[in-house]
Amino acid sequence: MFDIQEELKKLPAKPGVYLMHNAQDEIIYVGKARVLKNRVRQYFQSSYKRSVKIEHMVSHIAYFEYIITDSELEALVLECNLIKEHRPHYNTMLKDDKSYPYIRVTVQEEYPRILFCRNVKRDKAKYFGPYTSAGAVKETIELIHKVYKIRNCHRVLPRDIGKERPCLYYQIRQCDAPCQGYISREQYRESVEQALRFLNGDDKKILNDLEEKMKAAAAAMEFEEAAEYRDLINNVKRIGEKQKINDTGGDDRDIIALAKAGDEAVVSIFFIRNGKLLGRDHFHMGGIGDSEKSEILMDFVKQFYMGTPFIPREILLQEEVPDSEILEKWLSDKRGGKVSLLTPKRGTKHKMMELAYKNAQNVLIKDSEKLKREEHRTIGAVHELEQLLGIRGLNRMEAFDISNTNGYENVASMVVFEKGKAKKSDYRKFKIRTVAGPDDYRCMEEALTRRFSHGIREKAEREEKGLDTDLGSFTRFPDILMMDGGKGQVNVALRVLEDLGLSIPVCGMVKDDFHRTRGLYYNNEIIQFPKNSEAFRMITRLQDEAHRFAIEYHKSLRSKGQVHSVLDDIKGVGPARRKALMRHFKDIEKIRQASREELMEADGITARVADEIFSFFHESAAVKKEPTVIQ
């Protein structure tokens, strides 16, 4: 048994990282400390003023562990790694896991290349970025290949010159084939220098050159070539307007501002490269509770720059953050040069900060409105359904559907909605094993029996081990069961639940002539609801999802050649006799119920084959056994 008070006495007066665990052994919080002994003790001191979020976290701590480090800087790096790996519930988390594209020019090579990449290496190449649009970067590189004919192959030059024939890019006039010696090293390097000037934002020379070539081609009546130059000119102008691409040298900085409302926060970041605004982006922060803006900004800086290869010389922050000196040292070590964290109070930098804040605020407002609409569509729909049925607390809904082909390979789907939204991680599919032929009621009975029997067994096992019984998709029972059918399906479900000793409300999704839900069968009556109501739309989504999931599973089996007519499994019945039986009886169920004499009335069915068919459906019917869940 972990005695928290006793363990607190053993804490060392050294820097390190601490990990808080709950009763289920989950890591719920990761933090760093200059002095572990002092920091961890604060969480358990009644005199220490804690935020509501931390108070709630402390109430769930079952035990803690810690890792000693040599310095606070090492503790910071370890904390960032552990947060990224475990994503603890009570840490303020960066929701967006983005990586940014760069343009890499391998100027250290004798014949440089211009490449797309997402990592900045400590080599002698030149990097341009980061950019917020991968598409724009690829478009720019493609344009450079067309205009300057820079190679993008992996051949080692000049070692491999003349060893292989030129590639396709030479054939389509997007490379001057230095691999064949068709262009001198000096001429090639001049093309690279022009491309670098273009990447630095100087597009005047390239436009002038292209216009002269276009006019010369037109004068020589080479109109197709002139049209190519015209298209290139338009592309250069468009990319020049769309992206201001600058070298990573010079005046580089990131400007970071935060807007906060309730338990949501949006961080806006502007990328300034060589004094020009290269791009901007925004990020959502979750689990912020009542954290201060400075704390949220600190968490953002740690998580964002942990995964971003390029770090500028200056990072401007809306507010001063705790542990700024340690953060600066960590960032400087990552960058390989001095990094400064600044909080501008006036001037141009302050104005840019205000602009970043307005962007963050705008995104937060838009997302809040979107969230309200989503809540009306989901939680609002659940409340409407509760009022219609007179039931409270409908959080989890499960719906089932059956799919088969001519009664062969029956499958069932189970889909789950929580708070009005699909919870796809809890979806399950069942391959029906005890029913031969198209008997939806018996198929549904098997699927429901397997689903709830599995849940009952798993609950009992988890209770024996003292584990939480609400973690698995099977141990969590629905607040309401939605059947894809009317009275018959509802009665099947009620019978299964009664046999298993469960009490769960059951509704049937009653369909119209177009197979769309028109009402709910509940407590022996059909409840109608307005077709423009959110409840109607949610039930329709639930029905469609159950149907889609069953069909999808069935198709996956059929694509593997596992689904065919049940008649194909009967000895002596081939394609011709199968067609004859279906022509005569019209449906599998009538074949199942037919006597030997009636079966022989179909074309080509002899007494021996009739015996085989009759035995298949009657004497060799599947014997029920304890089912297993196919997930």
Side-chain angles (χ1 to χ4, degrees), residues 75-87 306:
L76 174 67
V77 175
L78 180 58
E79 178 200 30
C80 290
N81 287 328
L82 289 172
I83 289 173
K84 185 174 183 180
E85 181 181 352
H86 297 289
R87 301 189 68 83
M306 185 72 185

Side-chain angles (χ1 to χ4, degrees), residues 18-232:
Y18 53 92
L19 300 91
M20 303 299 192
H21 293 256
N22 64 11
Q24 284 76 48
D25 293 331
E26 297 169 329
I27 296 173
I28 59 174
Y29 188 79
V30 174
K32 70 166 183 63
R34 184 181 287 114
V35 180
L36 281 167
K37 184 176 184 178
N38 298 341
R39 183 72 187 99
V40 178
R41 277 182 173 180
Q42 287 178 338
Y43 288 101
F44 303 97
Q45 292 172 349
S46 56
S47 59
Y48 183 71
K49 187 179 178 181
R50 298 189 291 253
S51 67
V52 175
K53 172 186 166 183
I54 296 300
E55 192 77 45
H56 195 260
M57 183 267 291
V58 170
S59 69
H60 286 82
I61 296 175
Y63 67 95
F64 62 81
E65 58 180 325
Y66 54 88
I67 302 168
I68 298 171
T69 59
D70 289 332
S71 67
E72 193 180 356
L73 179 60
E74 282 186 19
L76 174 67
V77 175
L78 180 58
E79 178 200 30
C80 290
N81 287 328
L82 289 172
I83 289 173
K84 185 174 183 180
E85 181 181 352
H86 297 289
R87 301 189 68 83
H89 179 72
Y90 288 99
N91 281 94
T92 300
M93 295 302 302
L94 177 61
K95 290 184 180 180
D96 312 85
D97 189 14
K98 302 178 183 177
S99 64
Y100 291 96
Y102 294 79
I103 294 176
R104 179 173 179 249
V105 185
T106 60
V107 291
Q108 75 275 24
E109 298 176 342
E110 285 196 53
Y111 292 84
R113 296 167 294 158
I114 296 178
L115 307 168
F116 176 99
C117 71
R118 288 189 180 272
N119 294 305
V120 175
K121 298 177 182 177
R122 290 189 177 181
D123 52 16
K124 295 180 181 179
K126 281 194 175 183
Y127 290 87
F128 299 83
Y131 303 109
T132 54
S133 169
V137 171
K138 290 174 182 176
E139 202 176 343
T140 302
I141 292 173
E142 185 181 349
L143 175 65
I144 288 171
H145 287 149
K146 286 179 179 177
V147 175
Y148 297 109
K149 300 177 173 53
I150 308 296
R151 75 184 184 103
N152 66 354
C153 64
H154 295 285
R155 296 177 186 178
V156 180
L157 303 182
R159 187 194 70 187
D160 295 339
I161 289 178
K163 288 187 177 179
E164 296 180 40
R165 63 183 182 181
C167 65
L168 180 63
Y169 285 100
Y170 171 73
Q171 307 295 337
I172 61 174
R173 302 198 310 180
Q174 289 190 19
C175 178
D176 278 331
C179 60
Q180 301 300 308
Y182 293 165
I183 181 173
S184 69
R185 180 180 177 277
E186 291 71 24
Q187 289 174 312
Y188 185 84
R189 294 290 301 201
E190 176 56 31
S191 296
V192 172
E193 288 301 321
Q194 289 180 23
L196 287 171
R197 285 196 290 271
F198 172 66
L199 288 173
N200 278 310
D202 181 10
D203 57 8
K204 290 182 181 177
K205 186 177 187 309
I206 183 175
L207 287 172
N208 290 335
D209 289 346
L210 289 173
E211 283 177 8
E212 286 179 11
K213 289 178 181 178
M214 180 181 69
K215 290 175 182 176
M221 294 189 181
E222 298 287 345
F223 298 117
E224 287 186 9
E225 188 178 344
E228 287 180 13
Y229 287 125
R230 178 203 62 202
D231 293 340
L232 287 173

Side-chain angles (χ1 to χ4, degrees), residues 54 135 146 171 238 313 390 435 460 553:
I54 296 300
K146 286 179 179 177
Q171 307 295 337
R238 183 167 49 80
R313 288 187 176 89
V435 182
Y553 180 39

